């Protein structure tokens, strides 16, 4: 158990809909990262927040947005969903803002768009 | 753009040793990390290198040569549970790059 929690574990929705994924980092970690992993594909880095502020951006679509709250939990919002958005979405946390830091991953949210 | 290259798949025998290579074309990484990911599960941290040389952690070791843009993960005394994907990741103050992962298949 990494200490990172994600909810929900599974999510099934329809095209065009909007969903919110939630992540709570390990106690003491200030950085939260979001990743997308499609079936049999590598990890795609989406975005990083550090202590409430956006720190780094990867290949995040304009339809996706994220935020980190004062209690350090983070939410990833996915809107106008398409079939291709079906994937595992991982959240990870680390202590520092530096991208060269060990990351601890949550169990993931499996999103299925029908 | 920047990228990290790893072999797509490797096969090894239980009890043997396997080396998974990772090469990159960019400089400026402050650290080179290795993660293990079993199918359908979250990646878990294995090892990292900040300086050139070998870092040993039990059955797993990782090596880095920054001048050559090269790292490898060495797994000894392979066990069936080592069947997984191994991900190489480079990080710095301003970039975070992941390799596509190497799927390691262990045969009895």
């Amino acid at each position: 158990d990494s200490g990172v929690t994600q909810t929900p574990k599974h999510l099934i929705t329809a095209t065009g809909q909007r969903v919110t994924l939630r992540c709570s980092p390990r106690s003491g970690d200030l950085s939260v990262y979001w990743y997308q992993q499609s079936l049999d594909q590598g990890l795609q880095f989406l975005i990083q927040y550090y202590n409430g502020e956006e720190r780094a951006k990867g290949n995040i679509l304009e339809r996706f947005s994220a935020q980190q709250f004062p209690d350090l939990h983070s939410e990833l919002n996915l809107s106008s969903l398409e079939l291709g958005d079906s994937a595992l979405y991982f959240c990870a946390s680390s202590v520092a803002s530096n991208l060269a830091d060990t990351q601890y991953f949550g169990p993931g949210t499996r999103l299925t768009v029908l | 753009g920047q990228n990290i290259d790893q072999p797509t798949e490797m096969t090894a025998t239980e009890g043997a040793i396997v080396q998974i290579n990772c090469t990159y074309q960019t400089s400026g990484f402050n650290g080179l990390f290795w993660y293990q990911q079993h199918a359908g599960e979250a990646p878990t941290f294995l090892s990292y290198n900040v300086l050139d040389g070998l870092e040993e952690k039990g059955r797993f070791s990782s090596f880095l040569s920054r001048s050559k843009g090269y790292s490898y993960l060495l797994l000894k005394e392979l066990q069936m549970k080592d069947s997984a994907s191994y991900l190489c990741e480079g990080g710095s103050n301003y970039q975070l790059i992941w390799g596509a992962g190497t799927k390691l298949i262990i045969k009895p």
Side-chain angles (χ1 to χ4, degrees):
Chain A
D1 184 356
S2 67
V4 179
T5 60
Q6 287 187 250
T7 56
K9 197 167 184 176
H10 300 277
L11 197 50
I12 301 174
T13 188
T15 55
Q17 295 298 304
R18 172 189 168 95
V19 298
T20 298
L21 312 183
R22 183 188 168 105
C23 167
S24 292
R26 289 189 324 159
S27 177
D29 284 357
L30 298 178
S31 266
V32 170
Y33 309 75
W34 284 100
Y35 291 92
Q36 180 192 57
Q37 188 173 40
S38 301
L39 191 63
D40 293 331
Q41 299 294 311
L43 282 174
Q44 293 296 318
F45 168 61
L46 297 178
I47 198 163
Q48 179 209 11
Y49 278 80
Y50 176 77
N51 204 21
E53 301 287 328
E54 183 183 305
R55 178 71 174 76
K57 230 172 183 177
N59 301 321
I60 189 166
L61 300 173
E62 285 192 14
R63 301 184 285 110
F64 296 0
S65 65
Q67 53 184 327
Q68 186 180 28
F69 296 86
D71 68 352
L72 301 177
H73 91 271
S74 178
E75 292 181 356
L76 178 67
N77 300 296
L78 314 176
S79 62
S80 302
L81 284 167
E82 302 174 0
L83 294 178
D85 297 328
S86 294
L88 257 175
Y89 290 84
F90 288 109
C91 162
S93 72
S94 70
V95 173
S97 62
N98 190 328
L99 290 170
D101 194 14
T102 302
Q103 296 178 49
Y104 296 89
F105 284 78
T109 293
R110 183 172 293 282
L111 174 66
T112 302
V113 182
L114 301 175
Chain B
Q2 324 285 18
N3 62 285
I4 287 181
D5 296 314
Q6 305 180 236
T8 303
E9 188 174 295
M10 298 182 70
T11 302
T13 305
E14 189 178 15
I17 299 173
V18 71
Q19 178 175 312
I20 302 174
N21 296 327
C22 164
T23 57
Y24 56 93
Q25 291 76 44
T26 185
S27 60
F29 285 148
N30 292 346
L32 203 296
F33 296 79
W34 285 94
Y35 290 81
Q36 180 191 59
Q37 185 178 27
H38 285 98
E41 297 182 10
T44 55
F45 168 73
L46 284 178
S47 183
Y48 83 100
N49 296 75
V50 176
L51 301 175
D52 290 355
L54 189 67
E55 290 285 339
E56 297 189 77
K57 292 178 73 173
R59 294 191 300 114
F60 298 89
S61 303
S62 59
F63 172 85
L64 177 65
S65 169
R66 289 172 294 172
S67 62
K68 294 181 178 168
Y70 168 67
S71 174
Y72 67 71
L73 179 70
L74 194 70
L75 294 80
K76 304 174 190 173
E77 301 169 18
L78 285 170
Q79 303 174 10
M80 297 304 292
K81 67 178 183 179
D82 297 329
S83 291
S85 287
Y86 292 85
L87 312 176
C88 177
E89 180 246 309
S92 71
N93 289 334
Y94 58 92
Q95 61 180 343
L96 180 63
I97 310 292
W98 288 80
T102 299
K103 184 177 181 180
L104 178 63
I105 299 167
I106 311 294
K107 295 186 174 178

